[in-house]
Amino acid sequence: MIKLIFALILLLLFVWRIKRGFANGIMGEIVNIVSGAVALVCVVLIFFAVTSARAKAMSTLTVCIVALILLGILFKVCSLIFSPLLALSHISIIEGMNKMLGAVIGVLEACVIGGLLYYGLGYMGVAVF
């Protein structure tokens, strides 16, 4: 029964990521991946900053704040770079290839998420396969 549920979840995950990747295109998917990575790093830096403030470790707090400011600047520069590329991807000649490569990126995302789900369930003691 667990195998069937896991297979169904993987199927839905693949369909969802392929559809979303095709709709966004490769440039939209890259922007989403970069945004997610930056958000994850920001959350980690904020946790470090809060714990260092509670522990009165001002040097660590300063490093975290400087890193957050630099990350914000880097994210703004990346958005300035990706804006023209996203506009360029709507040219009719490039759009078809952009959408197909976006679907390929969606498959890769689904593989990574499925692998993490498989290993996470295995770590918790749930034998899937």
Side-chain angles (χ1 to χ4, degrees), residues 52-128:
S52 63
R54 293 187 77 199
K56 308 258 191 265
M58 292 304 145
S59 61
T60 307
L61 178 64
T62 305
V63 168
C64 289
I65 290 173
V66 169
L68 280 169
I69 291 170
L70 290 175
L71 194 62
I73 292 169
L74 178 69
F75 188 68
K76 185 62 178 173
V77 168
C78 285
S79 71
L80 290 174
I81 292 170
F82 281 123
S83 294
L85 291 175
L86 286 171
L88 183 67
S89 67
H90 293 294
I91 296 174
S92 63
I93 297 172
I94 300 172
E95 190 173 17
M97 183 63 76
N98 182 36
K99 289 189 175 291
M100 293 307 288
L101 290 174
V104 170
I105 294 290
V107 168
L108 293 175
E109 287 177 358
C111 288
V112 168
I113 294 170
L116 290 174
L117 182 63
Y118 176 76
Y119 287 119
L121 288 174
Y123 181 75
M124 291 187 304
V126 178
V128 177

Side-chain angles (χ1 to χ4, degrees), residues 44-56 61 64:
V44 169
L45 285 173
I46 289 171
F47 280 138
F48 277 139
V50 169
T51 55
S52 63
R54 293 187 77 199
K56 308 258 191 265
L61 178 64
C64 289

